[in-house]
């Protein structure tokens, strides 16, 4: 009868667990973790971090969250009936625990079956998302490294952050622009006379970084604020940054920024305030843009009055802005929200055009910047080395240098649902026409598409096309709940790794030492993919015979070699690992960096990477593509829907900004939620007048809805948002009242239930997460409970 | 009882005058181990087939006569009755187990850890882990590698009670027995009772199979009866 009353415990002593403090790092910053008896009990920001994020507390929470995936799991119908079984029950079906061996055997069986049955384009591994930092346990590279050893796969290009801008900017500026160092804050504080923050909230979004953020943007912003020089925030919401700077708040209709910029440009031109010398010497095609601006080419002069009608900012204000922009050393610091909209390519192109007319690009404190809100752009840089990391081992496919094309096929990543719905159909992308592959399986790691993708209901249906979905994560995300095979990965804090500190500043290298042992049966991404590779007969090729620590040491040694050449001091690996970090001093060059100063100094010797070597206000390459939705110079085009636009079906624009208390959907499952939820749901900012007209009071549960979907949220009635606009932050966990049923009411507040899933244009095919109009009403039905978070009934 | 435990005397299973069934320490140890097993892992095919066998049926019949355990024993009898393969039952219970105890159910789950019920955030791996760890160290026991759960898991806490009860078996009245009984009283009152009733409420509210609702009902009933039993001097 041992089977029914086994003795669980065995003689012996638990392994003595170390006490102490461990330095590690995360998207939220470097931190010191207190460990007591093998448990992580407290977290505090690294002493060298000037502005630690309050979200660190949530990082600790996430590790010990009841939402952790504990064991390998398989969806029951998949286990009993095989691939493709009862796909409509994904999201509501049972999961059954299996052993690691069973799970990995099943994964390998599926990888082989799909490759043999459907060929190399049967598996989609464009797995995207904010994977944890760390140069070794880069789960997305490791996934593709394994798949390159298996055969091939369909990959993705681009990202959800800057989909439009990162494709248009290389045509305009010759670089990605969005992921590059900005004119540094000390120069801004010294030389900028007018700081314009256009569609960004740097006080909120600089908390996070793709590597370990140095938070150097905060002392930068404080230094500028201390000068007392003016700041203008152009935003539908009076943001935290607007309040911090005591800035002037201008709130145009969302999605109308191009019209607003054209109005300013027209005023600048008609008053002769533009810099003809700069336009002549440093730009190409202003003469081809001018007839459009004046209306000579289309009969519509883009006057301030014309613009005011569209954007809602008075014409006189636009004239005033033209005068102030041209009359001061002006930095136009734009966020990415502008380009995450239909025709998003035009926004930054027009911004660059406006900055070119002002003529201060390359001067200290002038010009434009697309990363002051991200990764602490403008934090002065050090002369440190660059750490290499694990590669996917694949051969790059010939293509545009700024796009990582690889695998058997590549799609622009935000077109995933189009791909699922239309296999074999043509799609355009940056000058090329290709066919959507017919994918049957996906393996997702380090991301949560059920948060970041638009039009959730359409996606839920399209997702059913997959016969097999493998998700590897550390917690039960909505994506994991819609998978067939779920594998528990460790958090970054249960394994060793190494990472750079300061996305642009590269001010230090931090040893991400393991804080605690893996919980439950979680395994590191490296180990999981090494075991899968072993089953494919490719273990040695995958690991190259190196262990976790040997890889980390190898990356460090490569950095050490660079440091030697640069004559920068770095300790030996063992000394570094003991100390936990190595810092690199900020250099004089780093402290005085001015973006495009070289180009301004000598445009012939330092040409831009565009066909003309100049800033392209008109692009012949784009002209050749002949796209109706991306003309060859910045152009105002009506988006598919907008506030007060032609034929608008709903009266409110939905702003879907980045949240203050989490990273997209990450940490939504932690106690940080207490800092922002209203009535236990995502907050919905609504203007006082709009709320009054609908009988909505502060704290009410409201239903946000349009033709695409519906969600509940908690009303925050405020004058800090423009009339006609509501805001529900992106990243709220999808919590359908009826899982698997398209159109289900979302109980918690996943705003992508109502957003539009179309490409920005044929050029970039970026996502349009900020394109949505909807209505809102006080919710009076039976209130469905929020059940996506795994917090038990504690009284 | 067969196997690892001495036979349970059906006579002593009769309700005691005070409303608490007198059970020997060995019997109590068996019950704790049995309940620990129920909450430790989803039942295997082997275990369900054992319940269906003559030997298993006899055991369930005996356990069922202990009033606190009747709900669970009855559920198992019903669930394993018949001739059909028990594999679908294994899968169903595995699914129910995962929903409740392996996070699949989200908000509608019952994390089987003291920590989850004793801090406002519902986090795992809090101080309770250390406290139960200390109890294990005192007993010279640890968790096997195949059970990578924190020590404040319900199955571990029940196993500590089983071990303490087992060590009473055969001891004559005296300081050693009194000390062991005191330890059980203390462990039951400070570790199990503060959270298990709420944990059981969640099992009952969210279990779709009925099995874990029955198990939770029996668990709470048995623990509630064991306190008075221990105060009466044990067996």
């Amino acid at each position: 009868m041992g089977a029914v009353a086994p003795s669980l415990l065995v003689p012996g002593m638990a392994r003595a667990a170390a006490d102490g403090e461990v330095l590690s790092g995360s998207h939220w910053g470097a931190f010191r973790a207190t460990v007591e008896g093998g448990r992580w009990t407290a977290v505090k920001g690294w002493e060298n971090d000037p502005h630690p994020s309050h979200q660190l507390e949530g990082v600790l929470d996430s590790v010990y969250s009841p939402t952790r995936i504990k064991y390998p799991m398989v969806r029951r119908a998949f286990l009993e009936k095989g691939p493709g079984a009862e796909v409509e029950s994904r999201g509501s079906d049972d999961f059954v625990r299996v052993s690691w061996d069973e799970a990995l055997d099943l994964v390998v069986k599926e990888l082989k079956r799909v490759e043999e049955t459907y060929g190399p384009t049967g598996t989609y591994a464009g797995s995207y998302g904010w994977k944890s930092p760390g140069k070794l346990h880069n789960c997305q590279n490791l996934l593709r490294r394994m798949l390159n050893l298996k055969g091939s796969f369909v990959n993705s290009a681009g990202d959800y952050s800057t989909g439009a801008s990162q494709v248009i900017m290389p045509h305009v500026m010759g670089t990605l622009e969005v992921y590059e160092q900005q004119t540094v804050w000390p120069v801004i504080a010294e030389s900028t006379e007018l700081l314009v923050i256009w569609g960004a909230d740097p006080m909120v979004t600089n908390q996070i970084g793709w590597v370990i953020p140095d938070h150097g943007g905060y002392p930068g912003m404080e230094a500028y604020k201390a000068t007392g020089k003016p700041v203008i925030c152009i935003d539908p919401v009076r943001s935290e940054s607007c309040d911090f700077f005591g800035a002037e708040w201008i709130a145009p209709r969302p999605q109308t920024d191009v019209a607003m910029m054209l109005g300013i440009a027209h005023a600048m031109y008609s008053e002769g305030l533009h810099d003809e010398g700069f336009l002549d010497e440093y730009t190409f095609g202003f003469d081809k843009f001018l007839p459009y601006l004046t209306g000579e080419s289309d009969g519509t002069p883009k006057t301030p009055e014309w613009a005011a009608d569209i954007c809602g900012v008075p014409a006189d204000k636009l004239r005033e802005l033209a005068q102030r922009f041209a009359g001061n050393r002006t930095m136009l610091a734009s966020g990415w929200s502008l380009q995450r909209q239909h025709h998003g390519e035009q926004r930054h192109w027009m911004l660059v055009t406006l900055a070119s007319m002002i003529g201060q690009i390359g001067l200290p404190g002038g010009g434009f910047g697309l990363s002051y809100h991200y990764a602490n752009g403008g934090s002065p840089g050090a002369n440190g080395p660059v750490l290499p990391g694990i590669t996917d081992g694949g051969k790059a496919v010939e293509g545009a240098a700024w796009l990582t094309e690889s695998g058997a096929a590549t799609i622009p990543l935000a077109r995933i649902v189009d791909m699922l719905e239309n296999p074999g159909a043509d799609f355009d992308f940056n000058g090329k026409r290709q066919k959507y592959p017919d994918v049957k399986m996906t393996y997702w790691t380090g991301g949560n598409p059920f948060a970041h993708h638009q039009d959730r209901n359409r996606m839920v249906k399209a997702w059913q096309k997959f016969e097999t979905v493998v998700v590897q994560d550390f917690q039960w995300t909505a994506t994991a709940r819609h998978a067939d095979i779920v594998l528990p990965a460790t958090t970054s804090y249960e394994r060793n790794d190494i990472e750079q500190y300061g996305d642009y500043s590269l001010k230090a290298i931090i040893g991400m030492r393991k804080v605690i042992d893996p919980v439950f049966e979680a395994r590191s991404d490296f180990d999981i993919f090494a075991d899968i590779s072993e089953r494919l007969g490719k273990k040695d090729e995958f690991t190259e015979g190196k262990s976790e620590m040997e890889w980390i040491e190898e990356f460090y040694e490569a950095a050490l070699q660079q440091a030697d050449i640069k004559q920068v001091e770095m300790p030996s690996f063992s000394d570094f690992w003991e100390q936990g970090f190595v810092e690199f001093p900020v250099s004089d060059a780093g402290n005085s960096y001015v973006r495009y100063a070289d180009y301004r100094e000598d445009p012939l010797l330092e040409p831009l990477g565009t066909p003309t070597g100049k800033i392209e206000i008109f692009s012949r390459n784009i002209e050749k593509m002949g796209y109706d939705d991306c003309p060859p110079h910045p152009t105002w085009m009506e988006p598919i829907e907008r506030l007060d636009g032609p034929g608008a079906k709903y009266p409110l624009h939905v702003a879907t900004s980045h949240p203050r208390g989490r990273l997209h959907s990450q940490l939504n499952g932690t106690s940080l939620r207490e800092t922002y939820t209203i009535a236990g749901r995502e907050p919905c900012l609504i203007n006082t007048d709009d709320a009054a007209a609908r009988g909505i009071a502060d704290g009410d549960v409201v239903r946000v809805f349009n033709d695409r979907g519906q969600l509940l949220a908690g009303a925050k009635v405020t004058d800090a948002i423009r009339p006609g606009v509501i805001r529900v932050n992106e990243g709220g966990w999808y919590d359908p009242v009826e899982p698997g049923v398209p159109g289900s009411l979302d109980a918690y507040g996943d705003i992508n239930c109502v957003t539009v899933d179309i490409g920005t244009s044929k050029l970039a095919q970026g996502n349009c997460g900020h394109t949505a109009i909807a209505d809102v009403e006080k919710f009076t039905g039976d209130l469905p409970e929020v059940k996506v978070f795994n917090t038990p009934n504690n009284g | 009882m067969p196997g690892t435990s001495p036979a349970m005397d059906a006579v002593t299973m009769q309700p005691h005058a005070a409303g608490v069934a007198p059970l020997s320490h060995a019997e109590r140890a068996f019950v704790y181990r049995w309940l620990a097993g129920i909450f430790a892992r989803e039942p295997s095919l082997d275990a369900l087939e054992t319940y269906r066998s003559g030997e298993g049926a006899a055991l369930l019949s005996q356990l069922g006569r202990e009033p606190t355990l009747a709900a669970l024993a009855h559920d198992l009898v019903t669930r394993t009755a018949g001739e059909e393969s028990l594999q679908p039952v294994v899968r169903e219970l595995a699914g129910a187990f995962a929903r409740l105890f392996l996070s699949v159910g989200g908000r509608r789950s019952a994390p089987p850890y003291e920590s989850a019920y004793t801090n406002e955030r519902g986090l795992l791996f809090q101080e309770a882990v250390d406290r139960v760890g200390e109890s294990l160290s005192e007993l010279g026991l640890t968790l096997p590698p195949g059970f990578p759960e924190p020590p404040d898991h319900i199955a571990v806490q029940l196993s500590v009670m089983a071990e303490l009860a087992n060590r009473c078996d055969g001891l004559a009245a005296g300081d050693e027995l009194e000390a062991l009984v005191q330890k059980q009283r203390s462990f039951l009152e400070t570790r199990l009772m503060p959270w298990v009733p709420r944990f059981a409420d969640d099992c009952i509210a969210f279990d779709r199979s009925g099995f874990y609702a029955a198990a939770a009902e029996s668990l709470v009933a048995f623990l509630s009866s064991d306190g008075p039993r221990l105060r009466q001097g044990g067996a």
Side-chain angles (χ1 to χ4, degrees), chain A residues 4 8 10 12 39 61 64 66 68 70-71 80 92 94-95 97 481 520 785 787 789-790 792-794, chain B residues 34 41 91 99 101 103-104 106-109 113 116 119 121-125 130 140-142 149 202:
Chain A
V4 298
L8 184 62
V10 295
R39 283 194 305 115
D61 262 29
Y64 289 149
R68 286 293 298 253
K70 298 173 184 172
Y71 301 99
E80 292 177 338
S92 60
D94 279 351
F95 278 95
R97 176 178 168 188
R481 291 181 192 283
F520 306 105
E785 66 171 333
K787 55 186 191 305
F789 306 110
N790 196 338
N793 296 318
N794 285 350
Chain B
W34 182 56
R41 281 297 303 259
R91 288 274 162 74
R99 265 183 207 283
F101 308 134
S103 319
V104 175
R107 178 74 178 74
R108 294 182 179 176
S109 68
Y113 311 99
N119 71 90
R121 302 179 185 183
L123 298 178
L124 315 183
F125 291 90
D130 297 346
L141 294 171
T142 189
E149 293 280 339
D202 283 347

Side-chain angles (χ1 to χ4, degrees), chain A residues 97-313:
Chain A
R97 176 178 168 188
V98 297
S99 70
W100 266 109
D101 276 341
E102 287 171 276
L104 295 185
D105 286 349
L106 200 50
V107 168
V108 169
K109 188 178 148 200
E110 283 304 290
L111 288 172
K112 287 182 173 169
R113 179 186 71 82
V114 169
E115 176 114 7
E116 282 159 16
T117 315
Y118 303 111
T121 56
T123 304
Y124 180 70
S127 180
Y128 164 78
W130 271 69
K131 67 165 187 63
S132 301
K135 290 291 184 247
L136 174 60
H137 296 286
N138 177 334
C139 52
Q140 289 157 2
N141 277 8
L142 292 169
L143 165 67
R144 297 190 261 268
R145 186 181 178 88
M146 177 275 286
L147 288 172
N148 273 318
L149 294 170
K150 178 214 62 157
S152 201
F153 58 93
V154 176
N155 208 349
S156 66
D159 58 43
Y160 279 74
S161 299
T162 64
S165 214
Q166 67 174 275
V167 177
I168 186 103
M169 277 299 116
H171 291 290
V172 176
M173 298 301 298
T175 70
L176 279 177
E177 204 65 49
V178 287
Y179 298 129
E180 287 168 46
Q181 176 63 307
Q182 309 292 292
T183 295
V184 293
W185 279 106
V187 174
I188 298 288
E190 172 79 26
S191 304
T192 301
E193 293 165 328
L194 175 61
L195 176 60
V196 181
I197 300 176
W198 203 314
D201 194 357
M203 286 297 287
V204 163
T205 52
N206 274 320
Q207 290 180 90
I208 58 159
W210 182 248
V211 295
I212 304 172
D214 67 353
H215 294 142
Y218 291 91
M221 289 187 277
E222 278 153 20
Y224 185 84
K225 181 185 177 183
T227 66
K229 293 187 283 192
V231 177
I232 296 174
C233 285
I234 301 174
D235 201 308
V237 179
R238 201 185 73 217
S239 64
E240 184 172 330
S241 301
C242 189
D243 286 344
F244 169 80
F245 284 113
E248 178 184 348
W249 179 34
I250 298 174
R253 287 193 185 96
Q255 304 195 87
T256 65
D257 307 83
V258 168
M260 179 171 168
M261 290 180 207
L262 282 166
I264 296 169
H266 191 280
M268 212 175 270
Y269 179 76
S270 50
E271 293 176 36
L273 301 170
H274 62 297
D275 186 334
E276 277 185 55
F278 184 88
L279 290 167
D280 283 350
E281 191 169 3
Y282 297 101
T283 73
F284 169 79
F286 183 70
D287 57 328
K288 297 174 192 306
F289 165 75
L290 195 53
Y292 171 73
L293 183 66
T294 58
E296 195 187 316
S297 65
D298 65 351
T300 305
K302 310 304 175 300
T303 60
E305 284 71 19
W306 168 85
D309 263 2
I310 296 169
C311 73
V313 178

